[in-house]
Amino acid sequence: MHSKTALAALLAPAAVSGQLNDLAVRAGLKYFGTALREGSINSDASYAAILGNKAEFGQLVPENGQKWESTEPTRGQFTYTQGDITANTAKKNGQGMRCHTQVWYSQLPSWVRDGSWTKDTLRSVMATHMNNVMGHYKGQCYAWDVVNEAVADDGTWRPNVFLSTFSTDYLSLSFNLAKAADPDVKLYYNDYNLEYNGAKTDRAVELVKIVQAAGAPIDGVGFQGHLIVGSTPSRSNLATALRRFTALGVEVAYTELDIRHSSLPASSSALVTQGNDFANVVGSCLDVAGCIGVTVWGFTDKYSWIPETFSGQGDALLYDKNFGKKPAWTSVSSVLAAKATNPPASSSSSSSSSSAGAPTTLTTSTRTTTTPPSTTSSAGGALQTQWGQCGGNGWTGPTQCQSPFTCKKQNDWYSQCL
Ligand code: 9MR
């Protein structure tokens, strides 16, 4: 038979470490999701098992399978073999799907990229592509990334065939065509390095205003979140960047989160810093009404785009190469648990006014879940009950526990009455 202390120790990890999507939904987000690497799902059972667990990942996004080069490599010939891998996996497991991406300069087949176009001919090609691909996935996507990475790293407009043909009119054109192809899906602009609040963020704010001023529909902005350990902005600076967009009436989400080590192997202190950085990113989403979810760009360091692009860098995800949970996983789980067990009463909704109508495959929730019960101490302060949260970064609730329990620190974001 277990003593009370031993029993508490046995139960404590379960109380702290719920699974990520379950915790995210309890914390008021619509989902915690991951990208799916098409080449790995059928060859790696461990990968498939974690990826297909809806409690861990409530939403999937195809890493490459829905891009233009995958879906219409030759003009007028559409193929969904790669994209359907994600759609079928999500369907099988009851998960939602983000859809990625339509108008992008990269992974664009040469027949589009190098074609000689007039406005009319390119508009027709774009409409045909969207009508077919978005038509094929109609009813299955929570959101589509309609325009991806239209801003260069220095904040100028990124050159591409769409810009050279239409100037910036291609932005509103793309959103209008997307609306015609699927009137019910959320339409997003998606980009990286919006997190730093620099020239690129300014331009993306302008982009949203341009689309809105043209009377075209835009529902959301995706912060890709390809970040670097030790250089990730603070939780409050990240929230400031997110709020610049929600102030325009669109929702926001982290859509491709990974935080890479710039040299490998990572030391144990670098792994802790990575955890802090992940907690700040996820925490900033929790802090902003209108930030609706977080998607990681893969979940295991076994499979990531980073080493191919940034030689010698990587290990940017929540699970290691052997599918062990890293300190970053614990940090994310803890920051979600902290919010899930005690959301502030003032955070009434996770959605902006333009974000109504989540798909049935995703749980819609608000951030007004009940505060855990507490009683008043003789000194007048509230006392937390057994298992309840009693501390952690950003915690404003009770810090003392009902007798005989004591407040035990689990990590920087979560202390618990045990
Ligand atoms: O992860 C994707 C990788 O497998 C591809 O080779 C690469 C090609 O551009 O695209 C990667 O995904 C990108 C995403 O579609 C858009 N944002 C940046 C991502 C990382 O490069």
Side-chain angles (χ1 to χ4, degrees), residues 63-64 67 100 104 106-107 149 224 226 256 297 305:
E63 188 169 339
N64 289 300
K67 294 171 179 174
H100 175 79
W104 187 28
S106 179
Q107 292 178 286
E149 300 173 8
Q224 292 185 5
H226 294 297
E256 304 183 11
W297 205 239
W305 66 284

Side-chain angles (χ1 to χ4, degrees), residues 203-213 218 221 245 248 250:
R203 187 68 75 186
V205 167
E206 185 189 337
L207 183 154
V208 174
K209 290 180 178 169
I210 287 172
V211 173
Q212 290 176 330
I218 177 167
V221 172
F245 293 91
L248 302 175
V250 294

Side-chain angles (χ1 to χ4, degrees), residues 35 37-38 62-64 67 69 100-101 104-107 145 148-149 190-192 224 226 256 258 297 304-306 308-310:
R37 176 158 282 212
E38 291 85 1
E63 188 169 339
N64 289 300
K67 294 171 179 174
E69 72 173 11
H100 175 79
T101 182
W104 187 28
Y105 75 93
S106 179
Q107 292 178 286
D145 292 328
N148 199 43
E149 300 173 8
N190 191 50
D191 211 333
Y192 63 90
Q224 292 185 5
H226 294 297
E256 304 183 11
D258 50 28
W297 205 239
S304 166
W305 66 284
I306 291 171
E308 284 158 31
T309 306
F310 299 102

Side-chain angles (χ1 to χ4, degrees), residues 44 117-118 193-194 207 250-251 282 284 291:
D44 188 331
W117 305 108
T118 64
N193 285 1
L194 304 183
L207 183 154
V250 294
E251 62 181 46
V282 175
S284 71
C291 185

